[in-house]
Amino acid sequence: MCLLRLHGSEPTDNPAAFCHVLGLRPSFGRVPKPGFLSEPSVSGPMARTVRDLAMLLSTMAGPDPRAPLGVEQDPAVFAEPLEHRVDGLRIGWLGDFGGYLPTEPGVLAVCASALGTFEEIGCVVEPVERELPVEQAWETFMLWRHWMTGQTLHDLHADESNRALLKPEAVFEVEGYLRMGVREIAAALTGRDDWHAHVAALFDDYDFLIAPTAQVFPFDAALRWPREVGGRTMDTYHRWMETVAPWTLSGHPVLNLPAGFGAADLPMGVQLIGPNHGELDLLRLAHAYERASDWVHRVLPPPLR
């Protein structure tokens, strides 16, 4: 098991999917942190099994007097047995948002194969037909990214001797932050509220949502980031993982589940997204999926083979 602070979007699910393990991005407030501003970053666990993931969450979560927006629920509930009926649950498949997100060939096929496992355990999986303002959500995400990352790196950037040592991606965020004014901050706040409302409305029709965890299979560590995905040029250093940004922005809990392997035997995962503060039900469904797919034992990491 390991604890991971999930800044923005990229550590949320990509590492878990690329390493064939589980990763949970909790709702805001589930794992306490000080402050009244609900910035997108949260802390969450990673593990090889759902049980381990739940046990680690039980030690991380809980109320704290220093966290005014924290969740008051007793975290011991996550240490209880996860067996629960899941038949009849409705799951909305988002895929690539109707072609909006570019994906590497094979990614969607691996993710779609996981849908059959949910159907095997009695869930009803349907494509989400509702149009969502995902491009607007990305623009809002970018504002938050500039705001949160830029202010963190601002002092380093202000010192010319340090600025030369910053990666171009870090400079990009600071420069975006420096361009922000009151209007941009207001747009970030209202845009996030609007997107949260769109996502929350989906749970009127579905118990859970599911989407690809990544848009590309794991790539060479020497590559800074994919410049092109599915024939489309990436205009920022994080556009290649836009699939996780909507849930970072909305604050809903997300659990990466192993989905399988592509033609080159590289792993891929799916994001199981639950309603706000619905981590327990998310873990219960993930546990049922895990028992049916048995990825943990079917494909072991090299040291355990």
Side-chain angles (χ1 to χ4, degrees):
M1 296 185 290
C2 75
L3 170 63
L4 182 67
R5 180 160 176 79
L6 306 174
H7 289 284
S9 68
E10 65 273 31
T12 302
D13 294 307
N14 289 130
F18 286 178
C19 295
H20 193 59
V21 298
L22 301 157
L24 174 65
R25 185 194 194 284
S27 308
F28 183 83
R30 175 64 66 186
V31 175
K33 65 178 182 178
F36 282 98
L37 181 63
S38 56
E39 61 173 297
S41 66
V42 296
S43 296
M46 294 179 69
R48 288 195 63 245
T49 69
V50 177
R51 166 51 58 194
D52 285 350
L53 200 72
M55 291 296 289
L56 183 51
L57 182 62
S58 74
T59 70
M60 297 167 58
D64 188 306
R66 296 165 295 181
L69 301 181
V71 178
E72 294 295 323
Q73 183 182 23
D74 185 350
V77 67
F78 299 115
E80 297 175 359
L82 294 173
E83 286 71 20
H84 199 267
R85 288 192 61 176
V86 298
D87 53 301
L89 291 175
R90 296 188 64 191
I91 301 177
W93 165 241
L94 292 158
D96 59 1
F97 290 104
Y100 169 78
L101 291 176
T103 58
E104 183 178 345
V107 166
L108 288 178
V110 173
C111 294
S113 69
L115 305 182
T117 304
F118 284 102
E119 292 175 332
E120 289 173 11
I121 60 178
C123 298
V124 178
V125 183
E126 302 173 348
V128 174
E129 301 292 348
R130 187 182 306 183
E131 290 189 13
L132 297 166
V134 285
E135 187 169 1
Q136 180 181 340
W138 172 255
E139 293 172 358
T140 301
F141 169 81
M142 285 287 289
L143 289 174
W144 277 92
R145 183 76 177 179
H146 287 324
W147 187 4
M148 297 295 112
T149 306
Q151 70 174 354
T152 300
L153 299 173
H154 176 263
D155 289 346
L156 288 174
H157 183 270
D159 185 322
E160 291 188 8
S161 60
N162 287 326
R163 188 185 310 164
L165 302 176
L166 292 175
K167 295 193 300 182
E169 294 83 1
V171 174
F172 169 78
E173 297 294 358
V174 177
E175 290 178 346
Y177 168 70
L178 293 174
R179 289 193 299 268
M180 292 184 72
V182 174
R183 289 182 182 274
E184 287 74 23
I185 292 174
L189 294 170
T190 58
R192 190 178 182 195
D193 287 344
D194 290 344
W195 175 247
H196 181 274
H198 280 287
V199 176
L202 292 176
F203 291 104
D204 292 338
D205 299 322
Y206 301 102
D207 298 296
F208 298 91
L209 303 172
I210 192 167
T213 296
Q215 294 164 241
V216 296
F217 288 104
F219 49 87
D220 194 319
L223 179 65
R224 291 178 72 92
W225 47 275
R227 260 57 177 188
E228 183 179 288
V229 177
R232 298 190 212 173
T233 300
M234 301 291 97
D235 57 354
T236 73
Y237 75 95
H238 35 26
R239 190 81 178 218
W240 61 272
M241 50 186 168
E242 187 176 355
T243 185
V244 301
W247 325 117
T248 296
L249 190 65
S250 73
H252 288 80
V254 183
L255 201 163
N256 172 74
L257 291 168
F261 294 79
D265 289 331
L266 294 172
M268 180 49 56
V270 288
Q271 299 177 92
L272 188 61
I273 304 140
N276 193 35
H277 297 155
E279 284 85 353
L280 181 58
D281 288 336
L282 197 65
L283 288 163
R284 286 170 170 170
L285 178 55
H287 178 66
Y289 171 88
E290 180 181 71
R291 294 184 64 182
S293 64
D294 199 31
W295 280 117
V296 169
H297 299 103
R298 285 168 57 191
V299 181
L300 295 172
L304 298 180
R305 290 175 185 168

